Amino acid sequence: MPDDSAAAAKAATTLPLNGLRVLDLTLARAGPTCVRHLADWGADIIRIEPPGNNDGFGGARDGFDSVNLHRNKRGLAIDLKSPEGHAAFLRLAATADVVVENMRMQVKHRLKIDYETLSKINPRLVYASISGFGQTGPYSTRGGVDQIAQGLGGLMSITGEPGRGPMRVGIPIDDLTAGNLLAMGVMMALYEREKTGKGRWVHTSLLEAQVFMLDFQATRWLQKGEIAGQAGNDHPVNTPMGVFPSADKPINIAASSPKLWAVFCKAAGREDWLAKPEWQTAEGRTADRAALNAAVSEVTRQKPSAYWIELLEEVGIPCGPINNIREVFEDPQVQHLGMVWDVPHAKLGKAGVVRTPINIEGHTPGIRRGVPALGEHADEILAEAGLTTEEIAALRAKKVLGE
């Protein structure tokens, strides 16, 4: 698909967020994750970067992170530290519906692009922020990255095998969760604006996202004083639920409820397990997890993974293979779901990215444009904000604009 502005605008006209203008001041991953939701569903995203920006990903504007995170956007490179650049940004903000940023708390105030400043010129503005640890409090001025939040928020203490020490999760889960939550917060604020006519400051942080994601592990502590530890591939409180060997490769099996445990014993040809007193309750099975898992493993390793998956699926026991990334995209269900979009790119021709996981019947989102070149759409964006050709030329002459 060519990166044509008219074609891109036409493609967005039927999507739910068509007509929504978003100023994207985000860096790294958490903020762009939020904006990506809005972009994929039709919002007009203006990515605002400093002149000379290298995307924050090792200079790889055409790298996998940049292409994935900054699709479906227009680009403007402008020096917000200069009086002229700041004044031009304020004119853009006056026309915007949403501003998204993930700067340190003090930076946006120093640049005078904080919510208090912008809401005075645009009371309808929804201003969305992600920080490392919160907009207020003793850690509010600290910079935060995903792994720091994983550690501080308890996730690394419950991830990995017992006795092996803390372990990070294999994806930037706090960045992604914070971005997802902020996108939901933006939509709530926009919905409220329909009734009140006024915008809001919406914010979350990597730390808040991580504590939220502790979920039942948190409530074990809050309600019963239990401090969860590492359980490896086993479920923390349910047995058997985890990874078991087969004749060719490991598989996941979830057969911990009383009904599923009984069904599993019959399917495995080990109905005698049902008579073992220590395995007749969920609590007993978990207390004797090591022996139970060893017994199950002795049975499952005798047949290949396909045998067990077919057998257990037939009797209603959740199970599945453990795929590497290549196998994920070769999986027939993943292919049926169409989880890959091709993004046009000036250097790469096209590049694969993961599509939005949200489905709204009657709408077909997709790629309308690839990652913008630095300052690619400066003239049209600034003209839409009311700047004249002469004013834009003056900004360019003063090196306020990058390209």
Side-chain angles (χ1 to χ4, degrees), residues 108-168:
K108 55 180 166 282
H109 288 280
R110 186 167 65 243
L111 291 175
K112 297 181 181 179
I113 56 172
D114 53 277
Y115 174 68
E116 291 81 1
T117 299
L118 300 188
S119 64
K120 291 176 182 177
I121 62 172
N122 184 356
R124 289 176 53 81
L125 184 70
V126 172
Y127 189 100
S129 302
I130 292 178
S131 61
F133 308 105
Q135 297 295 322
T136 58
Y139 301 166
S140 60
T141 60
R142 294 185 185 180
V145 296
D146 180 89
Q147 187 161 337
I148 305 302
Q150 285 194 34
L152 183 61
L155 181 60
M156 293 175 67
S157 75
I158 57 175
T159 303
E161 296 177 341
R164 294 287 296 273
M167 182 69 66
R168 70 180 290 275

Side-chain angles (χ1 to χ4, degrees), residues 69 302 335:
L69 290 168
Q302 296 173 18
Q335 292 187 351

Side-chain angles (χ1 to χ4, degrees), residues 8-351:
K10 183 178 180 181
T13 56
T14 61
L15 293 175
L17 299 184
N18 178 54
L20 194 71
R21 174 161 291 187
V22 179
L23 304 186
D24 174 16
L25 293 165
T26 65
L27 305 167
R29 192 181 312 278
T33 296
C34 167
V35 177
R36 181 173 56 186
H37 285 295
L38 310 178
D40 285 349
W41 286 99
D44 174 22
I45 310 296
I46 299 173
R47 185 185 183 203
I48 298 176
E49 308 174 75
N53 181 49
N54 65 5
D55 288 341
F57 288 117
R61 178 171 293 273
D62 55 351
F64 51 83
D65 267 319
S66 179
V67 173
N68 181 43
L69 290 168
H70 299 302
R71 66 215 196 189
N72 288 330
K73 299 179 181 182
R74 296 191 289 165
L76 169 66
I78 190 167
D79 183 4
L80 297 179
K81 297 178 182 179
S82 71
E84 298 88 351
H86 184 262
F89 175 79
L90 292 184
R91 291 175 72 172
L92 279 173
T95 72
D97 297 288
V98 181
V99 168
V100 186
E101 60 86 20
N102 59 340
M103 305 173 186
R104 291 196 189 197
M105 181 272 293
Q106 62 270 36
V107 172
K108 55 180 166 282
H109 288 280
R110 186 167 65 243
L111 291 175
K112 297 181 181 179
I113 56 172
D114 53 277
Y115 174 68
E116 291 81 1
T117 299
L118 300 188
S119 64
K120 291 176 182 177
I121 62 172
N122 184 356
R124 289 176 53 81
L125 184 70
V126 172
Y127 189 100
S129 302
I130 292 178
S131 61
F133 308 105
Q135 297 295 322
T136 58
Y139 301 166
S140 60
T141 60
R142 294 185 185 180
V145 296
D146 180 89
Q147 187 161 337
I148 305 302
Q150 285 194 34
L152 183 61
L155 181 60
M156 293 175 67
S157 75
I158 57 175
T159 303
E161 296 177 341
R164 294 287 296 273
M167 182 69 66
R168 70 180 290 275
V169 173
I171 59 171
I173 191 168
D174 293 340
D175 282 344
L176 298 174
T177 300
N180 294 339
L181 293 172
L182 190 66
M184 183 166 61
V186 166
M187 300 315 299
M188 291 180 188
L190 289 170
Y191 179 75
E192 183 189 38
R193 191 182 73 173
E194 291 297 305
K195 296 178 284 186
T196 66
K198 294 183 179 180
R200 291 277 188 182
W201 184 19
V202 182
H203 53 86
T204 190
S205 65
L206 305 188
L207 180 58
E208 288 168 288
Q210 177 50 70
V211 175
F212 168 76
M213 288 290 283
L214 288 176
D215 198 64
F216 79 97
Q217 297 283 42
T219 53
R220 288 176 67 187
W221 158 252
L222 295 172
Q223 297 177 20
K224 297 186 68 176
E226 295 178 358
I227 299 177
Q230 294 166 303
N233 289 320
D234 293 317
H235 189 278
V237 296
N238 296 325
T239 306
M241 185 181 296
V243 176
F244 295 91
S246 74
D248 56 347
K249 67 177 185 177
I251 57 175
N252 278 312
I253 299 174
S256 60
S257 73
K259 178 181 178 181
L260 291 180
W261 170 239
V263 171
F264 177 79
C265 291
K266 293 176 183 177
R270 293 303 304 264
E271 292 185 68
D272 58 302
W273 288 346
L274 297 173
K276 289 180 70 71
E278 60 269 40
W279 294 355
Q280 289 182 351
T281 66
E283 294 78 10
R285 289 192 294 277
T286 297
D288 199 31
R289 171 180 284 161
L292 188 150
N293 282 354
V296 171
S297 296
E298 282 302 310
V299 172
T300 58
R301 65 166 45 98
Q302 296 173 18
K303 300 285 186 180
S305 57
Y307 170 87
W308 288 112
I309 291 170
E310 181 179 356
L311 174 66
L312 298 180
E313 282 289 344
E314 186 176 337
V315 296
I317 294 176
C319 61
I322 298 174
N323 291 332
N324 62 31
I325 304 301
R326 174 181 57 79
E327 292 168 330
V328 169
F329 289 99
E330 292 175 347
D331 185 274
Q333 183 64 24
V334 174
Q335 292 187 351
H336 168 78
L337 293 171
M339 292 302 298
V340 178
W341 281 343
D342 285 329
V343 177
H345 194 278
K347 292 182 180 178
L348 305 176
K350 65 178 182 179

